[in-house]
Amino acid sequence: MNSLLELLKKSTDFLAKKGVGNARLQSELIFAGTLGCRRLDLYLQFERPLTREQTDLLRERVVRRSRREPVQYVVGETDFRTLTLKCDPRALIPRPETEELVGFVLEKLAAARPAGTPAARVLDLGTGTGAIALAIAAERPGTRLVAADVSADALALARENFALNFEKKGVPADVEFLRSDWFENVAGTFDAIVSNPPYLTRAEWECAEPEVREREPLSALVAENDGLADLEKILRGARERLAPGGFVALETGVAHHARLAEIARECGFSETESRTDLSDRPRFFFAR
């Protein structure tokens, strides 16, 4: 019977030999996700003996990771702000940058809709796993949300994540799931329209790691017109669907902000703002 530490070392060596970067971290994420504990808790139980069933499952998952399947798909979930989200190939894996976007949106909603005012109405376009809409629902109770996606599979995953984080815990949240190609089936106006749409160029996608290029849905990553096509479509469509004082918040490519500012002016937005991500790259664009 292997101890946790023995199998962790073997897994790390195996992943390193297969060319997987950060092999120790990747092994720890697999072990924590499989054993149902936090990654740091592994260090408190290195001598823990593992059962045959646990060992077999861990080995199977390490092999999957060695074949460049993303660790989030391997363990079936990922953390996103206060939530645990189910992850699989039906939708893009939520990134840390999108967690930053949610933080900025919550900040702007708090300024525009302070306590005691009517609940904000927010549209999440291209919801995927549901990450943005569900994070806002969790951190700003009472917000009325519409989570839209053209993919029926992605919407099914988002609904599963809603059940996991709200329904099964008895936590109330007002989230409507809508199948829509961007604004096609969207009705009404919103205080905020938020989106992390496809924004990679084909060249950027071709240079991406195999985990991204071969495993995640291409349609959620790459856009025409040097990555601008969907960003422009959302920005042009948002103006008439925003309530007075409302804003649109976009996660973007790093070369897009100058053109987006031009489009915003053409559409009659009165104010635009660019913000950088934690790597100091221009990643978030806002128009009011």
Side-chain angles (χ1 to χ4, degrees), residues 76-273:
E77 64 182 34
T78 192
D79 292 331
F80 186 87
R81 294 184 68 89
T82 64
L83 307 174
T84 297
L85 298 177
K86 182 177 180 181
C87 281
D88 62 38
R90 287 177 288 178
L92 191 71
I93 298 166
R95 266 53 171 193
E97 291 84 358
T98 309
E99 294 184 88
E100 294 180 66
L101 176 63
V102 170
F104 290 139
V105 170
L106 289 169
E107 173 188 305
K108 289 180 177 294
L109 285 173
R113 292 277 189 166
T117 58
R121 192 163 187 247
V122 177
L123 172 63
D124 173 18
L125 283 176
T127 195
T129 60
I132 292 174
L134 299 183
I136 294 172
E139 296 182 55
R140 189 180 168 89
T143 305
R144 299 161 58 205
L145 292 129
V146 176
D149 205 294
V150 70
S151 166
D153 286 340
L155 279 177
L157 179 58
R159 289 190 181 98
E160 290 166 25
N161 279 321
F162 177 77
L164 178 68
N165 287 279
F166 295 92
E167 289 180 342
K168 292 181 180 178
K169 296 179 179 179
V171 178
D174 185 353
V175 184
E176 175 191 353
F177 296 94
L178 175 69
R179 190 169 186 189
S180 181
D181 185 1
W182 300 129
F183 292 105
E184 182 182 30
N185 298 320
V186 173
T189 59
F190 300 85
D191 300 289
I193 296 172
V194 190
S195 186
N196 173 25
Y199 59 74
L200 293 182
T201 67
R202 175 68 65 161
E204 288 171 330
W205 176 79
E206 289 174 351
C207 293
E209 293 294 321
E211 288 86 344
V212 175
R213 193 175 63 252
E214 298 173 7
R215 300 287 186 167
E216 294 193 78
L218 176 67
S219 61
L221 291 163
V222 175
E224 299 299 319
N225 191 23
D226 291 328
L228 266 167
D230 292 310
L231 288 163
E232 179 171 357
K233 189 177 295 184
I234 293 167
L235 191 54
R236 290 193 183 279
R239 180 68 178 81
E240 65 186 42
R241 292 172 175 85
L242 285 171
F247 65 91
V248 59
L250 302 170
E251 183 174 329
T252 75
V254 297
H256 292 148
H257 287 201
R259 178 56 184 147
L260 290 174
E262 291 176 358
I263 295 168
R265 286 192 294 271
E266 292 169 9
C267 294
F269 285 95
S270 61
E271 176 186 329
T272 63
E273 178 186 4

